[in-house]
Amino acid sequence: MRLAHVSDPHFGRIASLHVEEDLIEDIRAHGCDVIVITGDLTQRARRGEFEAARGFLNALPLPYIVVPGNHDMHAWWHRPDLRMLDPLRRYKRQLTRQLEPTIAIQGLAVLGLNTTYGFTVQGGRCTAQQVKRVQSFFSEQPPSTLKVLAVHHPLTALRVSENLDLARGGEQLFAAAADAGVTLVCAGHWHCAHVEVCIEAGSELVVSIAGTATSDRWREPQTEMNSWNLIETGERNLEVQIRKYDRHTRTFSVCRRVTHSFAEQ
C-alpha cells in the first residue's frame, strides 16, 4: 500500500512559481493508492484561494481525502459572525461539504476528522463524539486492514518542539485510535515535517506530520522547505519518506526516511 500525505499548501502564499505543478507530478509518479490532505488549503479563506485549492484537488489522481485546517475558516477580522456561527461555510461551498470523510477500500480504511473550531485563533479540539466515531468506524473494518486517522492538528506531544500546539482533547482521541487498532496518524499544522513512532497503551502508532507542501510559511528549523510525505507499507513494516523540494532543479527527493517494523501480535 502506498499513500501520499500532503498538508498546509496555503494557497494565497505559494512559495515559488512551479512548486504546485511539480508536487502534483511527483505524487503522480509514485502511483499512490490514496492521497491524504490534512488541512490549511488556504491562507485567509478567500474565494480566490479556495478556487486555487479546488484546481489543485482536481489535478490530483483519485482517490483523495481532505480535512479542513484553521486557516480554512473565515477570518475573525473579516466576518466575526461567520467565524462563530459557520466558520467553514466557504470551505463547504467551494471544496466539499463533507468535513469528516472516510475511505474504505480493500486493505485500507481512512477516517478524517475536523479538529477546527471558530472560538480560537489557531488551536484545535477533539470531541467525545469523535472518540466514539473512531471506535465505531474502525471496529467495522476487517482485522488485516491498515487503519489511518487524518486530522489537521497534532494530537499528542512529539520530539519536535515543546512550543508547538496540540488539539485540545487530542490525547483522548489518540488513545481511542490506539485502542481501535489505528496504525498511522496523519496531521499537519506545524509546518515542520516529522515522523515518530509512539507507544500508547501497548500499541504502536506511526505519526506522520507533513510540512507545508507549497507555501512560504516555513517554520524553524525547516526554513525554505516545502515537502510531502510518502508512506509505504509492507506485511509487518511501514516506511515514511519526507520528500523535500528543490526549486532550482524543480524536483522532490528524500531528505529523511523512517522505517518501523511492528511487533508480532
Side-chain angles (χ1 to χ4, degrees), residues 163-176:
N163 300 319
L164 298 174
D165 57 307
L166 303 172
R168 192 177 70 193
E171 291 288 356
Q172 291 88 340
L173 188 65
F174 195 76

Side-chain angles (χ1 to χ4, degrees), residues 151 169 231 263:
V151 291
I231 301 160

Side-chain angles (χ1 to χ4, degrees), residues 50 82 103 125 153 160 163 189 191 221 253:
F50 277 118
L82 287 178
I103 287 179
R125 69 172 177 183
H153 296 84
V160 183
N163 300 319
H189 186 58
H191 296 196
S253 59

Side-chain angles (χ1 to χ4, degrees), residues 2 23 25 31 60 88 93 110 158 160 164 188 215 252 257 263:
R2 184 175 288 176
L23 170 65
E25 182 179 345
L60 293 175
L88 289 166
R93 285 182 173 180
V110 187
L158 302 172
V160 183
L164 298 174
S215 85
F252 285 84
R257 190 191 309 265

Side-chain angles (χ1 to χ4, degrees), residues 19-231:
V19 62
E20 178 189 352
E21 61 181 291
D22 295 340
L23 170 65
I24 294 168
E25 182 179 345
D26 199 49
I27 292 172
R28 284 185 172 275
H30 284 88
C32 297
D33 297 282
V34 171
I35 303 170
V36 179
I37 306 159
T38 51
D40 276 2
L41 284 89
T42 66
Q43 173 63 15
R44 292 287 179 236
R46 296 186 174 100
R47 288 187 181 88
E49 294 171 357
F50 277 118
E51 289 173 2
R54 178 75 268 167
F56 170 70
L57 295 178
N58 288 344
L60 293 175
L62 296 173
Y64 65 78
I65 191 168
V66 58
V67 294
N70 52 287
H71 276 261
D72 299 322
M73 298 188 290
H74 285 281
W76 273 112
W77 51 266
H78 180 58
R79 287 293 301 271
D81 56 332
L82 287 178
R83 179 67 177 221
M84 291 184 290
L85 299 175
D86 194 5
L88 289 166
R89 186 173 74 169
R90 191 165 285 166
Y91 177 96
K92 290 183 288 186
R93 285 182 173 180
Q94 294 191 246
L95 293 188
T96 174
R97 302 195 66 84
Q98 181 57 265
L99 301 182
E100 298 198 332
T102 63
I103 287 179
I105 59 178
Q106 185 174 1
L108 175 68
V110 187
L111 169 63
L113 294 179
N114 172 29
T115 56
T116 69
Y117 69 115
F119 290 84
T120 181
V121 175
Q122 64 176 12
R125 69 172 177 183
C126 307
T127 66
Q129 289 78 11
Q130 289 174 328
V131 169
K132 293 179 181 177
R133 181 93 190 279
V134 164
Q135 294 166 337
S136 62
F137 175 75
F138 289 116
S139 68
E140 298 170 354
Q141 309 306 322
S144 60
T145 300
L146 173 66
K147 300 176 181 179
V148 181
L149 176 63
V151 291
H152 177 65
H153 296 84
L155 305 178
T156 190
L158 302 172
R159 296 189 301 269
V160 183
S161 170
E162 296 179 355
N163 300 319
L164 298 174
D165 57 307
L166 303 172
R168 192 177 70 193
E171 291 288 356
Q172 291 88 340
L173 188 65
F174 195 76
D179 187 59
V182 169
T183 297
L184 176 66
V185 177
C186 295
H189 186 58
W190 287 348
H191 296 196
C192 189
H194 181 72
V195 184
E196 190 169 323
V197 180
C198 298
I199 307 298
E200 178 70 31
S203 296
E204 300 168 297
L205 295 90
V206 177
V207 179
S208 168
I209 306 292
T212 175
T214 58
S215 85
D216 62 2
R217 300 186 77 249
W218 303 296
R219 200 171 272 170
E220 291 285 355
Q222 297 177 5
T223 55
E224 298 192 32
M225 177 172 163
N226 295 122
S227 63
W228 66 282
N229 293 356
L230 174 64
I231 301 160

